[in-house]
Amino acid sequence: MAGQSKEAPLPSWGYALAGATGAVLANAAVYPLDIVKTKLQVQVKRERKNTEKSLENGDVSKCDEEEEGEIYTSALDAIQKIIAKSGVNGLYTGMVGSLIGVASTNFAYFYWYTLVRNFYLSKSTAGAPSTAIELSLGAVAGALAQLFTIPVAVVTTRQQTRPYSAKPLGLFATAQEVISEDGVSGLWRGLKASLVLVVNPAITYGCYQRLKQILFNGRDRLSPGEAFLLGALSKSLATLATQPLIVAKVGLQSAPPPGRKAYKSFGEVMKVIVEKEGTLGLFKGIGPQLVKGLLVQGVLMMSKERMELIFILLFRWSKKMRAERLAKVASALPLVVKS
């Protein structure tokens, strides 16, 4: 109880700012992997029997047209084709919007996570939260964060999956395009899938807290290497558990290729993928997704730990300076009264 009543080293916004800063640094460092995994996840390969039938009928041009710029056999193949079509800059398409989304999503997530976790600790007498409680707290924080930040994710996914032949659009122009097609509600396309996917950060940070307890006895401050290890391990576990949901969400938010209507629901995406590619199609892009997640979460948690320490020192310095100013004002008050 005494530990629970102790004043937090930082206010909620301080932890949120530290988390957002770490997330932006981490995602900027590995952004090309984000493009690659999105391209791999959004493609829907043609059924094998249809491909063979087209080849038997000599309709090679149709096969070429369907595959051009759309089908990637691997992460390396995707990188090569993107550079061939759009140059190196193609690997950074939509980066500004993505980083804005990353910053806002992580700020919102860490803000709400800190609030709900501190609220729980202030009311609970059971000591450290169990794994189930940690997952629940993370899910609540993730759901609140998604409600406010999903429009940026929708716009960024549209930018990343825009056909090579189409004119590139900026963040606001892409948002206007989405609104012109689906109305303002189009900016919240895939919200249900995103709300389901709050289990990803919930699993990530739930695992992080539990592994921190198990491996490092719940120590408040971790070294950069320890924070990287915990972040990478926790994100890898969360990604493996939720990859089918990630693939379905990307399919919902992407711009449909010519000749195909946009998906209407979470279930429709998964059904089409399974029909055309089998169950393993729900795990496409898992390679770059895992590598990206491992690096991003590792760097994020490593950066977050350092940024939290910096902010704590700044916060304490600020409080000390404010206290000294108040003390000076208070000491001068009797002189003012006498005069």
Side-chain angles (χ1 to χ4, degrees), residues 26-27 29-43 72-79 82 91 232 235-236 239-240 243 246-247 250 282-297:
N27 280 272
V30 298
Y31 186 76
L33 281 175
D34 193 40
I35 287 281
V36 170
K37 68 93 180 171
T38 301
K39 294 283 190 183
L40 288 171
Q41 289 169 353
V42 78
Q43 68 183 5
Y72 307 99
T73 57
S74 66
L76 182 59
D77 180 55
I79 291 173
I82 291 169
L91 294 173
K235 189 62 177 181
S236 296
T239 299
L240 287 170
Q243 180 67 7
I246 295 171
V247 171
V250 171
L282 295 174
F283 290 86
K284 58 189 174 182
I286 186 68
Q289 182 82 48
L290 272 174
V291 174
K292 182 209 168 193
L294 186 149
L295 292 175
V296 166
Q297 200 66 31

mmCIF file of all heavy atoms in Angstrom, residues 26-27 29-43 72-79 82 91 232 235-236 239-240 243 246-247 250 282-297:
data_model
loop_
_atom_site.group_PDB
_atom_site.id
_atom_site.type_symbol
_atom_site.label_atom_id
_atom_site.label_comp_id
_atom_site.label_asym_id
_atom_site.label_seq_id
_atom_site.Cartn_x
_atom_site.Cartn_y
_atom_site.Cartn_z
ATOM 1 N N ALA A 26 12.284 4.885 -33.501
ATOM 2 C CA ALA A 26 12.373 3.484 -33.906
ATOM 3 C C ALA A 26 11.757 3.258 -35.284
ATOM 4 O O ALA A 26 12.331 2.575 -36.137
ATOM 5 C CB ALA A 26 11.681 2.603 -32.866
ATOM 6 N N ASN A 27 10.583 3.826 -35.529
ATOM 7 C CA ASN A 27 9.906 3.611 -36.810
ATOM 8 C C ASN A 27 10.601 4.322 -37.956
ATOM 9 O O ASN A 27 10.603 3.821 -39.082
ATOM 10 C CB ASN A 27 8.444 4.057 -36.716
ATOM 11 C CG ASN A 27 7.553 3.017 -36.054
ATOM 12 O OD1 ASN A 27 7.015 2.133 -36.712
ATOM 13 N ND2 ASN A 27 7.413 3.114 -34.749
ATOM 14 N N ALA A 29 13.730 4.669 -38.232
ATOM 15 C CA ALA A 29 14.938 3.898 -38.538
ATOM 16 C C ALA A 29 14.664 2.701 -39.440
ATOM 17 O O ALA A 29 15.526 2.297 -40.223
ATOM 18 C CB ALA A 29 15.598 3.429 -37.242
ATOM 19 N N VAL A 30 13.468 2.125 -39.347
ATOM 20 C CA VAL A 30 13.176 0.891 -40.113
ATOM 21 C C VAL A 30 11.959 1.062 -41.032
ATOM 22 O O VAL A 30 11.310 0.083 -41.395
ATOM 23 C CB VAL A 30 12.941 -0.300 -39.156
ATOM 24 C CG1 VAL A 30 14.175 -0.581 -38.327
ATOM 25 C CG2 VAL A 30 11.743 -0.051 -38.230
ATOM 26 N N TYR A 31 11.680 2.309 -41.432
ATOM 27 C CA TYR A 31 10.464 2.559 -42.208
ATOM 28 C C TYR A 31 10.351 1.728 -43.495
ATOM 29 O O TYR A 31 9.260 1.261 -43.825
ATOM 30 C CB TYR A 31 10.319 4.049 -42.544
ATOM 31 C CG TYR A 31 9.003 4.341 -43.225
ATOM 32 C CD1 TYR A 31 7.830 4.387 -42.498
ATOM 33 C CD2 TYR A 31 8.931 4.537 -44.604
ATOM 34 C CE1 TYR A 31 6.612 4.623 -43.114
ATOM 35 C CE2 TYR A 31 7.716 4.773 -45.228
ATOM 36 C CZ TYR A 31 6.560 4.817 -44.472
ATOM 37 O OH TYR A 31 5.357 5.024 -45.087
ATOM 38 N N PRO A 32 11.433 1.523 -44.258
ATOM 39 C CA PRO A 32 11.292 0.698 -45.478
ATOM 40 C C PRO A 32 10.691 -0.680 -45.207
ATOM 41 O O PRO A 32 9.964 -1.224 -46.054
ATOM 42 C CB PRO A 32 12.737 0.595 -45.987
ATOM 43 C CG PRO A 32 13.366 1.870 -45.533
ATOM 44 C CD PRO A 32 12.776 2.123 -44.181
ATOM 45 N N LEU A 33 10.949 -1.248 -44.048
ATOM 46 C CA LEU A 33 10.349 -2.537 -43.701
ATOM 47 C C LEU A 33 8.837 -2.417 -43.575
ATOM 48 O O LEU A 33 8.101 -3.369 -43.852
ATOM 49 C CB LEU A 33 10.935 -3.063 -42.388
ATOM 50 C CG LEU A 33 12.311 -3.717 -42.457
ATOM 51 C CD1 LEU A 33 12.805 -4.061 -41.058
ATOM 52 C CD2 LEU A 33 12.277 -4.970 -43.327
ATOM 53 N N ASP A 34 8.364 -1.248 -43.150
ATOM 54 C CA ASP A 34 6.925 -1.022 -43.032
ATOM 55 C C ASP A 34 6.263 -1.046 -44.407
ATOM 56 O O ASP A 34 5.192 -1.633 -44.588
ATOM 57 C CB ASP A 34 6.668 0.318 -42.331
ATOM 58 C CG ASP A 34 5.226 0.470 -41.887
ATOM 59 O OD1 ASP A 34 4.645 -0.530 -41.413
ATOM 60 O OD2 ASP A 34 4.669 1.575 -42.007
ATOM 61 N N ILE A 35 6.909 -0.389 -45.379
ATOM 62 C CA ILE A 35 6.403 -0.396 -46.753
ATOM 63 C C ILE A 35 6.350 -1.829 -47.282
ATOM 64 O O ILE A 35 5.358 -2.267 -47.863
ATOM 65 C CB ILE A 35 7.311 0.457 -47.673
ATOM 66 C CG1 ILE A 35 7.112 1.943 -47.390
ATOM 67 C CG2 ILE A 35 7.043 0.160 -49.140
ATOM 68 C CD1 ILE A 35 5.892 2.537 -48.016
ATOM 69 N N VAL A 36 7.425 -2.559 -47.095
ATOM 70 C CA VAL A 36 7.528 -3.926 -47.623
ATOM 71 C C VAL A 36 6.472 -4.828 -47.023
ATOM 72 O O VAL A 36 5.771 -5.553 -47.733
ATOM 73 C CB VAL A 36 8.936 -4.496 -47.368
ATOM 74 C CG1 VAL A 36 8.991 -5.986 -47.687
ATOM 75 C CG2 VAL A 36 9.962 -3.755 -48.219
ATOM 76 N N LYS A 37 6.319 -4.808 -45.720
ATOM 77 C CA LYS A 37 5.344 -5.703 -45.081
ATOM 78 C C LYS A 37 3.922 -5.320 -45.480
ATOM 79 O O LYS A 37 3.068 -6.188 -45.664
ATOM 80 C CB LYS A 37 5.528 -5.728 -43.564
ATOM 81 C CG LYS A 37 5.198 -4.476 -42.784
ATOM 82 C CD LYS A 37 3.776 -4.470 -42.283
ATOM 83 C CE LYS A 37 3.473 -3.198 -41.506
ATOM 84 N NZ LYS A 37 2.034 -3.075 -41.195
ATOM 85 N N THR A 38 3.647 -4.022 -45.694
ATOM 86 C CA THR A 38 2.318 -3.601 -46.144
ATOM 87 C C THR A 38 2.044 -4.091 -47.557
ATOM 88 O O THR A 38 0.950 -4.585 -47.860
ATOM 89 C CB THR A 38 2.184 -2.066 -46.088
ATOM 90 O OG1 THR A 38 2.397 -1.629 -44.745
ATOM 91 C CG2 THR A 38 0.802 -1.618 -46.532
ATOM 92 N N LYS A 39 3.030 -3.959 -48.446
ATOM 93 C CA LYS A 39 2.870 -4.434 -49.821
ATOM 94 C C LYS A 39 2.609 -5.939 -49.852
ATOM 95 O O LYS A 39 1.763 -6.429 -50.608
ATOM 96 C CB LYS A 39 4.130 -4.115 -50.637
ATOM 97 C CG LYS A 39 4.405 -2.639 -50.846
ATOM 98 C CD LYS A 39 3.516 -2.054 -51.907
ATOM 99 C CE LYS A 39 3.959 -0.639 -52.287
ATOM 100 N NZ LYS A 39 3.049 -0.017 -53.280
ATOM 101 N N LEU A 40 3.333 -6.686 -49.040
ATOM 102 C CA LEU A 40 3.168 -8.135 -49.008
ATOM 103 C C LEU A 40 1.812 -8.528 -48.434
ATOM 104 O O LEU A 40 1.165 -9.471 -48.900
ATOM 105 C CB LEU A 40 4.281 -8.774 -48.167
ATOM 106 C CG LEU A 40 5.684 -8.788 -48.789
ATOM 107 C CD1 LEU A 40 6.714 -9.236 -47.760
ATOM 108 C CD2 LEU A 40 5.730 -9.719 -50.001
ATOM 109 N N GLN A 41 1.353 -7.803 -47.432
ATOM 110 C CA GLN A 41 0.112 -8.163 -46.766
ATOM 111 C C GLN A 41 -1.127 -7.792 -47.571
ATOM 112 O O GLN A 41 -2.149 -8.470 -47.475
ATOM 113 C CB GLN A 41 0.052 -7.478 -45.391
ATOM 114 C CG GLN A 41 1.034 -8.069 -44.389
ATOM 115 C CD GLN A 41 1.158 -7.236 -43.135
ATOM 116 O OE1 GLN A 41 0.609 -6.144 -43.033
ATOM 117 N NE2 GLN A 41 1.904 -7.754 -42.162
ATOM 118 N N VAL A 42 -1.022 -6.745 -48.386
ATOM 119 C CA VAL A 42 -2.208 -6.275 -49.100
ATOM 120 C C VAL A 42 -2.448 -7.041 -50.388
ATOM 121 O O VAL A 42 -3.561 -7.082 -50.901
ATOM 122 C CB VAL A 42 -2.093 -4.761 -49.398
ATOM 123 C CG1 VAL A 42 -1.170 -4.490 -50.574
ATOM 124 C CG2 VAL A 42 -3.461 -4.153 -49.649
ATOM 125 N N GLN A 43 -1.418 -7.685 -50.932
ATOM 126 C CA GLN A 43 -1.596 -8.407 -52.194
ATOM 127 C C GLN A 43 -2.426 -9.682 -51.968
ATOM 128 O O GLN A 43 -2.312 -10.335 -50.938
ATOM 129 C CB GLN A 43 -0.236 -8.768 -52.800
ATOM 130 C CG GLN A 43 0.547 -9.799 -52.014
ATOM 131 C CD GLN A 43 1.917 -10.063 -52.615
ATOM 132 O OE1 GLN A 43 2.340 -9.423 -53.568
ATOM 133 N NE2 GLN A 43 2.633 -11.029 -52.047
ATOM 134 N N TYR A 72 4.469 -9.895 -55.038
ATOM 135 C CA TYR A 72 5.858 -9.971 -54.590
ATOM 136 C C TYR A 72 6.091 -11.353 -53.992
ATOM 137 O O TYR A 72 5.273 -11.853 -53.215
ATOM 138 C CB TYR A 72 6.145 -8.896 -53.546
ATOM 139 C CG TYR A 72 5.777 -7.498 -53.996
ATOM 140 C CD1 TYR A 72 4.571 -6.920 -53.600
ATOM 141 C CD2 TYR A 72 6.619 -6.769 -54.824
ATOM 142 C CE1 TYR A 72 4.228 -5.639 -54.016
ATOM 143 C CE2 TYR A 72 6.292 -5.494 -55.234
ATOM 144 C CZ TYR A 72 5.091 -4.933 -54.828
ATOM 145 O OH TYR A 72 4.756 -3.675 -55.244
ATOM 146 N N THR A 73 7.189 -11.969 -54.359
ATOM 147 C CA THR A 73 7.467 -13.318 -53.891
ATOM 148 C C THR A 73 8.184 -13.340 -52.545
ATOM 149 O O THR A 73 8.174 -14.347 -51.845
ATOM 150 C CB THR A 73 8.322 -14.080 -54.921
ATOM 151 O OG1 THR A 73 9.537 -13.343 -55.152
ATOM 152 C CG2 THR A 73 7.567 -14.213 -56.236
ATOM 153 N N SER A 74 8.804 -12.228 -52.174
ATOM 154 C CA SER A 74 9.532 -12.157 -50.909
ATOM 155 C C SER A 74 9.781 -10.694 -50.564
ATOM 156 O O SER A 74 9.508 -9.793 -51.370
ATOM 157 C CB SER A 74 10.868 -12.896 -51.021
ATOM 158 O OG SER A 74 11.729 -12.225 -51.938
ATOM 159 N N ALA A 75 10.322 -10.485 -49.366
ATOM 160 C CA ALA A 75 10.643 -9.119 -48.948
ATOM 161 C C ALA A 75 11.706 -8.506 -49.860
ATOM 162 O O ALA A 75 11.604 -7.342 -50.264
ATOM 163 C CB ALA A 75 11.136 -9.121 -47.499
ATOM 164 N N LEU A 76 12.722 -9.300 -50.217
ATOM 165 C CA LEU A 76 13.776 -8.801 -51.107
ATOM 166 C C LEU A 76 13.212 -8.471 -52.477
ATOM 167 O O LEU A 76 13.575 -7.443 -53.081
ATOM 168 C CB LEU A 76 14.890 -9.844 -51.223
ATOM 169 C CG LEU A 76 16.099 -9.446 -52.092
ATOM 170 C CD1 LEU A 76 16.758 -8.189 -51.550
ATOM 171 C CD2 LEU A 76 17.100 -10.595 -52.162
ATOM 172 N N ASP A 77 12.321 -9.322 -52.983
ATOM 173 C CA ASP A 77 11.686 -9.073 -54.281
ATOM 174 C C ASP A 77 10.878 -7.775 -54.233
ATOM 175 O O ASP A 77 10.892 -6.986 -55.180
ATOM 176 C CB ASP A 77 10.774 -10.252 -54.637
ATOM 177 C CG ASP A 77 10.078 -10.060 -55.977
ATOM 178 O OD1 ASP A 77 10.777 -9.827 -56.983
ATOM 179 O OD2 ASP A 77 8.833 -10.142 -56.022
ATOM 180 N N ALA A 78 10.185 -7.549 -53.117
ATOM 181 C CA ALA A 78 9.397 -6.322 -52.966
ATOM 182 C C ALA A 78 10.292 -5.088 -52.987
ATOM 183 O O ALA A 78 9.991 -4.095 -53.655
ATOM 184 C CB ALA A 78 8.602 -6.372 -51.664
ATOM 185 N N ILE A 79 11.410 -5.150 -52.272
ATOM 186 C CA ILE A 79 12.342 -4.018 -52.236
ATOM 187 C C ILE A 79 12.873 -3.713 -53.638
ATOM 188 O O ILE A 79 12.910 -2.553 -54.072
ATOM 189 C CB ILE A 79 13.515 -4.317 -51.281
ATOM 190 C CG1 ILE A 79 13.021 -4.350 -49.838
ATOM 191 C CG2 ILE A 79 14.625 -3.272 -51.431
ATOM 192 C CD1 ILE A 79 14.054 -4.795 -48.839
ATOM 193 N N ILE A 82 10.026 -2.214 -55.846
ATOM 194 C CA ILE A 82 9.674 -0.859 -55.426
ATOM 195 C C ILE A 82 10.722 0.134 -55.918
ATOM 196 O O ILE A 82 10.396 1.201 -56.460
ATOM 197 C CB ILE A 82 9.536 -0.775 -53.889
ATOM 198 C CG1 ILE A 82 8.306 -1.556 -53.420
ATOM 199 C CG2 ILE A 82 9.438 0.685 -53.428
ATOM 200 C CD1 ILE A 82 8.230 -1.746 -51.913
ATOM 201 N N LEU A 91 10.640 3.610 -51.130
ATOM 202 C CA LEU A 91 10.696 2.906 -49.846
ATOM 203 C C LEU A 91 10.294 3.799 -48.676
ATOM 204 O O LEU A 91 10.179 3.329 -47.539
ATOM 205 C CB LEU A 91 12.111 2.364 -49.599
ATOM 206 C CG LEU A 91 12.592 1.268 -50.555
ATOM 207 C CD1 LEU A 91 14.056 0.953 -50.296
ATOM 208 C CD2 LEU A 91 11.741 0.007 -50.394
ATOM 209 N N ALA A 232 11.899 -6.522 -27.696
ATOM 210 C CA ALA A 232 11.928 -7.420 -28.858
ATOM 211 C C ALA A 232 11.192 -8.722 -28.578
ATOM 212 O O ALA A 232 10.402 -9.203 -29.404
ATOM 213 C CB ALA A 232 13.382 -7.702 -29.252
ATOM 214 N N LYS A 235 7.275 -8.082 -28.289
ATOM 215 C CA LYS A 235 6.632 -7.769 -29.566
ATOM 216 C C LYS A 235 6.591 -8.991 -30.474
ATOM 217 O O LYS A 235 5.604 -9.189 -31.217
ATOM 218 C CB LYS A 235 7.381 -6.635 -30.262
ATOM 219 C CG LYS A 235 6.642 -6.096 -31.490
ATOM 220 C CD LYS A 235 5.305 -5.508 -31.081
ATOM 221 C CE LYS A 235 4.561 -4.882 -32.260
ATOM 222 N NZ LYS A 235 3.274 -4.292 -31.843
ATOM 223 N N SER A 236 7.614 -9.825 -30.448
ATOM 224 C CA SER A 236 7.624 -11.035 -31.261
ATOM 225 C C SER A 236 6.483 -11.961 -30.866
ATOM 226 O O SER A 236 5.781 -12.516 -31.730
ATOM 227 C CB SER A 236 8.963 -11.768 -31.108
ATOM 228 O OG SER A 236 10.017 -10.983 -31.605
ATOM 229 N N THR A 239 3.192 -10.387 -32.115
ATOM 230 C CA THR A 239 3.044 -10.449 -33.577
ATOM 231 C C THR A 239 2.645 -11.844 -34.033
ATOM 232 O O THR A 239 1.751 -11.997 -34.881
ATOM 233 C CB THR A 239 4.360 -10.030 -34.260
ATOM 234 O OG1 THR A 239 4.663 -8.686 -33.893
ATOM 235 C CG2 THR A 239 4.236 -10.106 -35.780
ATOM 236 N N LEU A 240 3.277 -12.857 -33.511
ATOM 237 C CA LEU A 240 2.935 -14.235 -33.881
ATOM 238 C C LEU A 240 1.480 -14.547 -33.552
ATOM 239 O O LEU A 240 0.797 -15.246 -34.305
ATOM 240 C CB LEU A 240 3.857 -15.218 -33.145
ATOM 241 C CG LEU A 240 5.306 -15.275 -33.646
ATOM 242 C CD1 LEU A 240 6.165 -16.098 -32.696
ATOM 243 C CD2 LEU A 240 5.360 -15.862 -35.063
ATOM 244 N N GLN A 243 -0.906 -11.971 -36.167
ATOM 245 C CA GLN A 243 -0.600 -11.706 -37.570
ATOM 246 C C GLN A 243 -1.822 -11.784 -38.491
ATOM 247 O O GLN A 243 -2.007 -10.929 -39.361
ATOM 248 C CB GLN A 243 0.502 -12.644 -38.058
ATOM 249 C CG GLN A 243 0.913 -12.451 -39.517
ATOM 250 C CD GLN A 243 1.608 -11.120 -39.790
ATOM 251 O OE1 GLN A 243 1.895 -10.376 -38.850
ATOM 252 N NE2 GLN A 243 1.878 -10.820 -41.034
ATOM 253 N N ILE A 246 -3.644 -8.583 -38.271
ATOM 254 C CA ILE A 246 -2.890 -7.485 -38.885
ATOM 255 C C ILE A 246 -3.081 -7.491 -40.395
ATOM 256 O O ILE A 246 -3.325 -6.446 -41.019
ATOM 257 C CB ILE A 246 -1.394 -7.599 -38.535
ATOM 258 C CG1 ILE A 246 -1.175 -7.405 -37.034
ATOM 259 C CG2 ILE A 246 -0.565 -6.575 -39.318
ATOM 260 C CD1 ILE A 246 0.232 -7.711 -36.560
ATOM 261 N N VAL A 247 -2.990 -8.674 -41.016
ATOM 262 C CA VAL A 247 -3.158 -8.811 -42.467
ATOM 263 C C VAL A 247 -4.560 -8.365 -42.876
ATOM 264 O O VAL A 247 -4.741 -7.639 -43.866
ATOM 265 C CB VAL A 247 -2.907 -10.273 -42.905
ATOM 266 C CG1 VAL A 247 -3.286 -10.464 -44.373
ATOM 267 C CG2 VAL A 247 -1.433 -10.632 -42.703
ATOM 268 N N VAL A 250 -4.911 -4.474 -42.701
ATOM 269 C CA VAL A 250 -4.246 -3.808 -43.825
ATOM 270 C C VAL A 250 -5.098 -3.925 -45.091
ATOM 271 O O VAL A 250 -5.239 -2.968 -45.853
ATOM 272 C CB VAL A 250 -2.840 -4.404 -44.056
ATOM 273 C CG1 VAL A 250 -2.226 -3.867 -45.346
ATOM 274 C CG2 VAL A 250 -1.923 -4.063 -42.884
ATOM 275 N N LEU A 282 -2.843 -15.951 -44.389
ATOM 276 C CA LEU A 282 -3.103 -15.039 -43.279
ATOM 277 C C LEU A 282 -1.825 -14.653 -42.542
ATOM 278 O O LEU A 282 -1.839 -13.765 -41.689
ATOM 279 C CB LEU A 282 -4.085 -15.683 -42.294
ATOM 280 C CG LEU A 282 -5.497 -15.946 -42.827
ATOM 281 C CD1 LEU A 282 -6.316 -16.716 -41.806
ATOM 282 C CD2 LEU A 282 -6.193 -14.638 -43.197
ATOM 283 N N PHE A 283 -0.726 -15.339 -42.881
ATOM 284 C CA PHE A 283 0.558 -15.034 -42.240
ATOM 285 C C PHE A 283 1.555 -14.443 -43.234
ATOM 286 O O PHE A 283 2.749 -14.386 -42.948
ATOM 287 C CB PHE A 283 1.139 -16.299 -41.598
ATOM 288 C CG PHE A 283 0.371 -16.760 -40.392
ATOM 289 C CD1 PHE A 283 -0.727 -17.586 -40.531
ATOM 290 C CD2 PHE A 283 0.725 -16.336 -39.128
ATOM 291 C CE1 PHE A 283 -1.455 -18.002 -39.420
ATOM 292 C CE2 PHE A 283 0.015 -16.739 -38.010
ATOM 293 C CZ PHE A 283 -1.089 -17.579 -38.155
ATOM 294 N N LYS A 284 1.068 -13.988 -44.395
ATOM 295 C CA LYS A 284 1.986 -13.397 -45.369
ATOM 296 C C LYS A 284 2.574 -12.105 -44.805
ATOM 297 O O LYS A 284 1.926 -11.368 -44.068
ATOM 298 C CB LYS A 284 1.270 -13.124 -46.694
ATOM 299 C CG LYS A 284 0.057 -12.219 -46.618
ATOM 300 C CD LYS A 284 -0.676 -12.226 -47.947
ATOM 301 C CE LYS A 284 -1.977 -11.435 -47.861
ATOM 302 N NZ LYS A 284 -2.726 -11.477 -49.122
ATOM 303 N N GLY A 285 3.819 -11.887 -45.166
ATOM 304 C CA GLY A 285 4.519 -10.717 -44.644
ATOM 305 C C GLY A 285 5.010 -10.900 -43.221
ATOM 306 O O GLY A 285 5.472 -9.938 -42.601
ATOM 307 N N ILE A 286 4.936 -12.125 -42.699
ATOM 308 C CA ILE A 286 5.318 -12.346 -41.308
ATOM 309 C C ILE A 286 6.813 -12.075 -41.088
ATOM 310 O O ILE A 286 7.205 -11.608 -40.019
ATOM 311 C CB ILE A 286 4.958 -13.790 -40.856
ATOM 312 C CG1 ILE A 286 5.209 -13.988 -39.352
ATOM 313 C CG2 ILE A 286 5.735 -14.819 -41.666
ATOM 314 C CD1 ILE A 286 4.297 -13.229 -38.462
ATOM 315 N N GLY A 287 7.640 -12.332 -42.130
ATOM 316 C CA GLY A 287 9.082 -12.101 -42.003
ATOM 317 C C GLY A 287 9.413 -10.655 -41.711
ATOM 318 O O GLY A 287 9.948 -10.328 -40.633
ATOM 319 N N PRO A 288 9.095 -9.735 -42.651
ATOM 320 C CA PRO A 288 9.376 -8.316 -42.382
ATOM 321 C C PRO A 288 8.580 -7.766 -41.199
ATOM 322 O O PRO A 288 9.031 -6.865 -40.507
ATOM 323 C CB PRO A 288 8.995 -7.611 -43.687
ATOM 324 C CG PRO A 288 8.167 -8.581 -44.445
ATOM 325 C CD PRO A 288 8.621 -9.947 -44.031
ATOM 326 N N GLN A 289 7.372 -8.328 -40.968
ATOM 327 C CA GLN A 289 6.574 -7.881 -39.823
ATOM 328 C C GLN A 289 7.298 -8.186 -38.514
ATOM 329 O O GLN A 289 7.370 -7.347 -37.613
ATOM 330 C CB GLN A 289 5.209 -8.580 -39.822
ATOM 331 C CG GLN A 289 4.281 -8.137 -38.694
ATOM 332 C CD GLN A 289 3.545 -6.858 -39.001
ATOM 333 O OE1 GLN A 289 2.971 -6.703 -40.078
ATOM 334 N NE2 GLN A 289 3.534 -5.926 -38.071
ATOM 335 N N LEU A 290 7.856 -9.386 -38.422
ATOM 336 C CA LEU A 290 8.584 -9.778 -37.215
ATOM 337 C C LEU A 290 9.869 -8.971 -37.047
ATOM 338 O O LEU A 290 10.172 -8.491 -35.946
ATOM 339 C CB LEU A 290 8.925 -11.271 -37.265
ATOM 340 C CG LEU A 290 7.889 -12.250 -36.706
ATOM 341 C CD1 LEU A 290 8.335 -13.686 -36.962
ATOM 342 C CD2 LEU A 290 7.660 -12.014 -35.219
ATOM 343 N N VAL A 291 10.616 -8.829 -38.155
ATOM 344 C CA VAL A 291 11.869 -8.074 -38.080
ATOM 345 C C VAL A 291 11.592 -6.627 -37.702
ATOM 346 O O VAL A 291 12.256 -6.048 -36.824
ATOM 347 C CB VAL A 291 12.639 -8.137 -39.421
ATOM 348 C CG1 VAL A 291 13.860 -7.224 -39.375
ATOM 349 C CG2 VAL A 291 13.068 -9.561 -39.721
ATOM 350 N N LYS A 292 10.584 -6.039 -38.362
ATOM 351 C CA LYS A 292 10.225 -4.657 -38.052
ATOM 352 C C LYS A 292 9.782 -4.528 -36.595
ATOM 353 O O LYS A 292 10.215 -3.635 -35.869
ATOM 354 C CB LYS A 292 9.100 -4.184 -38.969
ATOM 355 C CG LYS A 292 8.709 -2.727 -38.714
ATOM 356 C CD LYS A 292 7.255 -2.476 -39.037
ATOM 357 C CE LYS A 292 6.824 -1.117 -38.487
ATOM 358 N NZ LYS A 292 5.376 -0.934 -38.486
ATOM 359 N N GLY A 293 8.886 -5.442 -36.175
ATOM 360 C CA GLY A 293 8.389 -5.383 -34.810
ATOM 361 C C GLY A 293 9.485 -5.565 -33.787
ATOM 362 O O GLY A 293 9.545 -4.861 -32.772
ATOM 363 N N LEU A 294 10.391 -6.515 -34.055
ATOM 364 C CA LEU A 294 11.489 -6.788 -33.139
ATOM 365 C C LEU A 294 12.386 -5.559 -32.984
ATOM 366 O O LEU A 294 12.719 -5.146 -31.873
ATOM 367 C CB LEU A 294 12.293 -7.982 -33.646
ATOM 368 C CG LEU A 294 13.425 -8.530 -32.767
ATOM 369 C CD1 LEU A 294 13.565 -10.033 -32.988
ATOM 370 C CD2 LEU A 294 14.745 -7.844 -33.067
ATOM 371 N N LEU A 295 12.760 -4.960 -34.133
ATOM 372 C CA LEU A 295 13.647 -3.795 -34.093
ATOM 373 C C LEU A 295 12.945 -2.570 -33.507
ATOM 374 O O LEU A 295 13.500 -1.875 -32.650
ATOM 375 C CB LEU A 295 14.162 -3.481 -35.500
ATOM 376 C CG LEU A 295 15.115 -4.513 -36.121
ATOM 377 C CD1 LEU A 295 15.439 -4.135 -37.553
ATOM 378 C CD2 LEU A 295 16.399 -4.614 -35.302
ATOM 379 N N VAL A 296 11.704 -2.333 -34.000
ATOM 380 C CA VAL A 296 10.978 -1.145 -33.550
ATOM 381 C C VAL A 296 10.702 -1.208 -32.054
ATOM 382 O O VAL A 296 10.961 -0.245 -31.318
ATOM 383 C CB VAL A 296 9.653 -0.980 -34.324
ATOM 384 C CG1 VAL A 296 8.744 0.034 -33.632
ATOM 385 C CG2 VAL A 296 9.933 -0.514 -35.745
ATOM 386 N N GLN A 297 10.168 -2.342 -31.598
ATOM 387 C CA GLN A 297 9.824 -2.424 -30.178
ATOM 388 C C GLN A 297 11.065 -2.419 -29.307
ATOM 389 O O GLN A 297 11.066 -1.831 -28.220
ATOM 390 C CB GLN A 297 8.999 -3.692 -29.925
ATOM 391 C CG GLN A 297 8.201 -3.649 -28.627
ATOM 392 C CD GLN A 297 7.114 -2.588 -28.663
ATOM 393 O OE1 GLN A 297 6.571 -2.285 -29.712
ATOM 394 N NE2 GLN A 297 6.804 -2.012 -27.509
#
